[in-house]
Amino acid sequence: MLERGLYQLTQWQVSGLDLSLSLNISARSVQHASFVHDLGERLARHPGLTLNSLSLEILESEALVDLDTVARVIEHCTGLRVCFPSTTSAPAIPP
Amino acid sequence: MRESDSVTRLSGDEFILFLGGFESPQEYAKVLDPLIIVLGQPYQVVSRELRVTASVWVTLYPRDAADADTLLRHADHAMYRAKQRGRNRYLFFNPSRDRRARARHSQLEQSGAAIDGDELVLFCQPQVDMRRRRIIGAEGLVRWQHPQRGLLSPAAFIPLLAGTAVQQRLD
């Protein structure tokens, strides 16, 4: 879905639409060791993409197991200009 | 063991006991309780005292299934749970738990196949800035274009995938 979202976002930008896209992502993916690396590679495959247009929301009914890892991931993603809107201010542990 | 019972060694430290002629569930306990106690007795080996523990898993014929292979599979499931809950005990195979587990497994498989078969689509829901009356962005939401059940909302399948490898693939 991330791939499709990036494709969609690129399409919009090519058509001159300045829109941001927010996607849900599972805590499992975010906590995967190669998440930041894979995300960086995906972004690199869409060079036309305007930065700051993608945001990811951690969608999980389970709590995040390793908060330190997640905090590091969010930090790295900020470097990639991908934001976690609901998680940068508070950990996303939905009811 | 009684005259009418038989014992088979399946492999390594796994044995199968065939016990018959029970009229009520209480009667199994009369055979199984002493069995666990006897197996738990310490063994004197040279100067050391050794103990073994046993996990016993029970499946009932004809209640649980009709054929030998299925009965063994049931026993295997119950064994796994017996070990998880600690040794020195016996557990009965639970048919409704097994049905639920199998249903869940099959749903997970179908969801995985849906990813492979490109049946999942991304719908974009606009986010509108009401004050400026314009669309500022979109939220991407997955839908399952199910060949039989039609377009399914995330609520119909995402909760089931929570925390699984399938969900990770979906991302």
Side-chain angles (χ1 to χ4, degrees):
Chain A
M1 289 301 123
L2 190 54
E3 192 54 49
R4 295 200 185 177
L6 289 174
Y7 176 76
Q8 184 62 65
L9 205 47
T10 311
Q11 292 298 104
W12 287 337
Q13 293 182 352
V14 166
S15 335
L17 291 169
D18 178 25
L19 298 174
S20 64
L21 180 65
S22 160
L23 291 174
N24 292 321
I25 193 143
S26 71
R28 189 180 160 122
S29 286
V30 171
Q31 289 171 108
H32 192 266
S34 66
F35 176 74
V36 173
H37 177 258
D38 294 347
L39 182 62
E41 286 204 330
R42 274 183 204 283
L43 291 171
R45 283 202 291 273
H46 298 270
L49 212 58
T50 312
L51 298 173
N52 291 328
S53 51
L54 179 68
S55 65
L56 298 176
E57 286 183 34
I58 300 175
L59 163 96
E60 199 59 79
S61 42
E62 303 153 46
L64 297 168
V65 187
D66 184 354
L67 282 176
D68 286 342
T69 305
V70 176
R72 224 172 15 253
V73 165
I74 292 173
E75 204 171 298
H76 282 129
C77 286
T78 310
L80 293 169
R81 303 293 181 96
V82 172
C83 70
F84 283 80
S86 57
T87 47
T88 41
S89 51
I93 303 174
Chain B
M1 294 286 101
R2 302 161 304 174
E3 282 278 308
S4 58
D5 299 332
S6 56
V7 180
T8 307
R9 184 172 170 210
L10 183 63
S11 68
D13 59 351
E14 295 185 338
F15 297 86
I16 301 173
L17 314 179
F18 296 96
L19 316 172
F22 297 112
E23 297 290 337
S24 74
Q26 289 73 31
E27 291 181 48
Y28 311 126
K30 287 188 195 151
V31 178
L32 296 174
D33 284 337
L35 177 77
I36 294 213
I37 292 168
V38 167
L39 287 171
Q41 295 297 309
Y43 294 85
Q44 202 71 35
V45 179
V46 197
S47 60
R48 282 166 188 270
E49 190 184 273
L50 301 178
R51 279 172 190 272
V52 293
T53 56
S55 306
V56 181
W57 43 103
V58 184
T59 182
L60 305 177
Y61 178 86
R63 188 197 76 174
D64 293 343
D67 65 274
D69 283 343
T70 314
L71 283 171
L72 281 177
R73 187 178 64 77
H74 288 173
D76 227 33
H77 276 203
M79 170 204 69
Y80 189 68
R81 281 178 38 236
K83 282 188 175 170
Q84 279 180 329
R85 296 214 197 155
R87 285 145 200 273
N88 271 341
R89 62 187 305 158
Y90 60 90
L91 280 184
F92 284 87
F93 171 76
N94 181 329
S96 63
R97 179 197 296 269
D98 182 62
R99 267 195 302 279
R100 283 198 303 274
R102 274 189 293 163
R104 184 179 148 77
H105 183 73
S106 124
Q107 281 169 313
L108 272 180
E109 268 190 352
Q110 286 170 21
S111 306
I115 297 176
D116 295 332
D118 230 12
E119 292 171 13
L120 298 175
V121 284
L122 187 68
F123 274 51
C124 293
Q125 188 170 295
Q127 291 170 326
V128 181
D129 180 341
M130 293 302 282
R131 198 169 298 160
R132 290 153 65 200
R133 292 172 188 276
R134 53 184 286 252
I135 296 172
I136 50 166
E139 185 175 13
L141 296 164
V142 67
R143 297 275 188 279
W144 183 351
Q145 185 65 63
H146 196 284
Q148 278 93 43
R149 294 161 65 197
L151 195 63
L152 301 181
S153 81
F157 60 100
I158 296 287
L160 181 88
L161 304 183
T164 67
V166 177
Q167 188 183 33
Q168 202 177 339
R169 287 184 54 214
L170 176 67
D171 288 336

